[in-house]
Amino acid sequence: MNRRVERRPSREELARRRSWARLVADLESHLTEVLCGFVSSQWLELHARCEDELSQVHVTIQGRLLRQAAELCLARDSAGRLWTAAPVRLDAAAWRRAVLEELHLALADRRRVDGHLLACHLMPRDAWPPAEVLARAARRLVPGPTSDLVFARTRFAAGHRREAESRYRAIARSGRLLNGRVHEAAAAAAESRGDLRAALEQNLAARALGAGVRAESAAFVLACVLGERGLALQLAEELELREPERNAAPRDHARIVRELAGRWRSRGITPRSAPETASIVTDCICSADRGLADLCYALLS
Amino acid sequence: MPVRPHPSATPDLPFGSDSAFLGVEAQPTRDAASVAGAPSALGTEARRRGKRPDWRALLCGGTPREVLARIVDGDPLGLRPRIAAALRAGAWLMDADRVLIRALALCARRGSTYRGRPPIDEWLDARVQESIDDLLEAEHAQPPPTTGAFSDLARPLSLSPERLRAACARFHARPREEREAYVRLVLDRRPLEESGAEPLETARRARRAIQALLGGEGS
């Protein structure tokens, strides 16, 4: 029988081993305390999700800027104008500032920058890609009903009116737009086929569901075009009663009036004869002091 | 050496998976601020004292990614209660954690150019609203993540998370009055008599919202 007899370590040896074991245990506990927050998989997952979301935010902002670029193109194209769902707050200088900021921040974050957006930033507006191309790129970056609406409008402006109408109808049918904007899509479909009365009704429905100043402006203009005097006056007064919006952005209010009058002129609609009509319209266009009601009275009296 | 997860290492992201809808505010189970750096400690301290977040320390300087790293841990900007309030005010049935993640990313992106105007409270509310609007817009367009409140809620009820999400999307397309009526009568279980002058109309609105959720004629 082979028995291995281990020699008992000396007292010094035992003390040395004990001190090593204590040192290792101390180190282990300190390292656990220090490292625990940084190696937790949940902590890493949260940060990774936030980073992904930041990338998505960059993409969304770039898509929105492309959408606005398409709308800026459409604003210069009288063929693309509908009364309904008109963008009223587009400012090319502000847009350029926003693009510059986004490009700067996206590159600082080492995120991708869309080529169309970069092209629009670097080139003058006349050399931009067509509105349809920009709207398509925006739809790729930010798929959703708002991008679909802009794309449908660019198709309308490109002369594909039936296709635009069917696109508008599809958007309206899908019910994906909120706060009455689905009715705005239906109104745009009706207007693109020339049914202004149906467009007015849809805009009024959108207004009732809280679509805001866009639907109200569109309904106001359509009511004027259709000669619905009482309704136009009521809408004009409601638009003027939007005190917070007027106070917050008097220039925007003036821009709405200018836009409406500009569209009026581009459509070749002649105001009915009335004394001092021309001067009242000029006043409305040049300043926000004279309101929509004055314009409405002038045009419908 | 085996590294044991520290109790405080769990991110305090969730509102709590079972209370994520409608922004029902739940206290985080654990506080990640204790493992975070100075900004988080700053935010926790600010919250404890009921003060406004120190936006200069959190938002100023650096790229959006750097700002994001400062504001993720411990919710130093106090976004959670704002999200809860906004979801309740709008009667939205959304995954509050998802809104929080988007709001954090938006604050990081927009915060790098924020210079104190409008006031920080107003600015943060606007970012929360922007997050909600973004997610509502993308609701139909993009497939939802497989994890999150929808799957957590759907699984015990033997429902499909995708169908639950689609039902909520239909609900969101209803007018606000209908959504509010549904929340008041069904989720909050408030009696019909408290519905003001038009209890019958409130009940009808709630019914239309339920039909939208069920995918019926109201949708």
Side-chain angles (χ1 to χ4, degrees):
Chain A
M1 193 173 176
N2 291 329
R3 286 179 60 194
R4 290 182 62 192
V5 179
E6 192 179 341
R7 201 159 55 89
R8 187 184 169 83
S10 67
R11 187 171 293 176
E12 292 78 21
E13 175 67 14
L14 278 173
R16 195 175 63 83
R17 285 186 192 177
R18 265 200 296 273
S19 70
W20 268 110
R22 212 176 298 128
L23 186 64
V24 169
D26 280 355
L27 271 174
E28 204 170 62
S29 68
H30 283 309
L31 279 171
T32 308
E33 272 178 29
V34 170
L35 292 174
C36 59
F38 298 95
V39 295
S40 155
S41 59
Q42 283 173 316
W43 189 87
L44 288 174
E45 190 191 331
L46 169 64
H47 277 258
R49 278 181 69 189
C50 286
E51 289 263 332
D52 288 348
E53 199 66 29
L54 183 60
S55 302
Q56 191 55 43
V57 163
H58 278 298
V59 169
T60 306
I61 289 174
Q62 289 177 27
R64 239 183 253 157
L65 289 167
L66 275 173
R67 220 155 56 193
Q68 289 173 359
E71 287 179 338
L72 278 169
C73 287
L74 288 176
R76 305 177 87 189
D77 180 5
S78 60
R81 288 180 182 174
L82 289 171
W83 303 114
T84 299
V88 290
R89 294 190 178 192
L90 283 178
D91 175 1
W95 181 87
R96 279 203 181 278
R97 278 197 301 276
V99 172
L100 187 62
E101 180 189 303
E102 171 54 25
L103 294 179
H104 174 68
L105 292 175
L107 291 174
D109 275 348
R110 298 181 183 178
R111 298 303 201 271
R112 205 174 279 177
V113 171
D114 185 81
H116 290 101
L117 192 64
L118 197 58
C120 289
H121 174 65
L122 294 175
M123 290 192 290
R125 265 174 81 182
D126 295 333
W128 281 8
E132 202 176 338
V133 173
L134 296 174
R136 202 185 291 274
R139 210 163 62 130
R140 182 172 44 77
L141 292 183
V142 196
T146 310
S147 299
D148 291 347
L149 266 182
V150 175
F151 184 66
R153 177 155 296 202
T154 59
R155 295 298 287 164
F156 179 83
H160 305 285
R161 304 208 162 198
R162 283 200 173 176
E163 186 200 323
E165 190 203 337
S166 65
R167 281 186 184 279
Y168 278 129
R169 280 224 295 259
I171 297 165
R173 243 196 335 270
S174 69
R176 294 182 300 162
L177 288 165
L178 308 172
N179 298 331
R181 293 202 58 207
V182 68
H183 292 280
E184 280 189 73
E191 198 185 329
S192 41
R193 70 170 178 269
D195 189 350
L196 295 188
R197 197 158 290 282
L200 173 62
E201 281 167 15
Q202 292 290 351
N203 271 311
L204 289 174
R207 164 177 157 265
L209 289 173
V213 72
R214 279 157 49 114
E216 282 174 17
S217 305
F220 163 69
V221 178
L222 287 166
C224 290
V225 173
L226 290 167
E228 297 276 358
R229 183 189 161 92
L231 182 59
L233 281 172
Q234 184 195 333
L235 288 166
E237 278 162 16
E238 279 180 23
L239 274 168
E240 288 197 311
L241 282 174
R242 287 180 166 274
E243 280 303 323
E245 287 180 29
R246 287 191 71 185
N247 290 339
R251 284 185 180 179
D252 285 332
H253 183 80
R255 200 177 298 134
I256 290 174
V257 177
R258 263 199 301 276
E259 172 77 8
L260 294 179
R263 282 155 172 254
W264 212 290
R265 281 200 305 271
S266 73
R267 286 288 177 98
I269 295 170
T270 315
R272 297 177 189 186
S273 59
E276 299 175 356
T277 300
S279 64
I280 291 174
V281 172
T282 310
D283 275 359
C284 288
I285 293 169
C286 295
S287 75
D289 296 336
R290 305 297 295 269
L292 287 171
D294 286 344
L295 179 63
C296 187
Y297 272 119
L299 295 170
L300 295 174
S301 57
Chain B
M1 180 183 68
V3 178
R4 283 168 288 139
H6 191 280
S8 64
T10 307
D12 67 343
L13 188 195
F15 282 75
S17 57
D18 55 345
S19 61
F21 280 83
L22 267 171
V24 179
E25 189 182 3
Q27 288 302 314
T29 49
R30 293 155 190 169
D31 189 8
S34 57
V35 295
S40 302
L42 230 167
T44 313
E45 187 63 21
R47 272 206 312 280
R48 194 182 303 139
R49 291 180 189 172
K51 281 184 180 175
R52 288 179 175 180
D54 182 2
W55 61 267
R56 283 185 188 83
L58 295 165
L59 301 176
C60 286
T63 65
R65 276 183 78 186
E66 290 164 359
V67 174
L68 184 66
R70 288 199 288 266
I71 63 174
V72 167
D73 293 315
D75 188 21
L77 290 173
L79 287 170
R80 263 191 223 93
R82 290 176 199 280
I83 290 170
L87 290 180
R88 183 154 281 278
W92 302 115
L93 300 180
M94 295 176 82
D95 181 349
D97 287 344
R98 182 85 188 78
V99 180
L100 177 63
I101 295 272
R102 173 55 67 105
L104 284 168
L106 272 172
C107 285
R109 163 60 181 79
R110 302 234 184 260
S112 46
T113 52
Y114 176 65
R115 295 291 175 268
R117 284 189 183 179
I120 186 67
D121 287 331
E122 202 177 307
W123 186 83
L124 288 171
D125 285 341
R127 295 293 73 78
V128 167
Q129 194 53 52
E130 190 181 353
S131 323
I132 292 173
D133 292 344
D134 278 2
L135 294 175
L136 286 171
E137 170 83 14
E139 191 162 58
H140 292 270
Q142 290 170 347
T146 49
T147 57
F150 282 113
S151 51
D152 288 345
L153 192 70
R155 210 178 303 122
L157 299 172
S158 303
L159 296 171
S160 145
E162 178 53 32
R163 290 183 68 184
L164 184 62
R165 189 201 58 81
C168 289
R170 285 197 299 274
F171 176 81
H172 293 155
R174 304 304 302 167
R176 184 181 178 149
E177 295 79 25
E178 292 182 13
R179 298 198 309 270
E180 281 175 345
Y182 173 81
V183 169
R184 200 179 307 128
L185 295 184
V186 180
L187 297 184
D188 291 349
R189 298 182 183 179
R190 302 268 284 276
L192 195 58
E193 293 76 33
E194 288 181 13
S195 303
E198 297 175 328
L200 200 62
E201 185 52 34
T202 305
R204 282 197 189 116
R205 285 174 185 156
R207 185 183 168 200
R208 284 196 289 272
I210 291 170
Q211 282 173 335
L213 276 169
L214 297 174
E217 59 191 67
S219 60

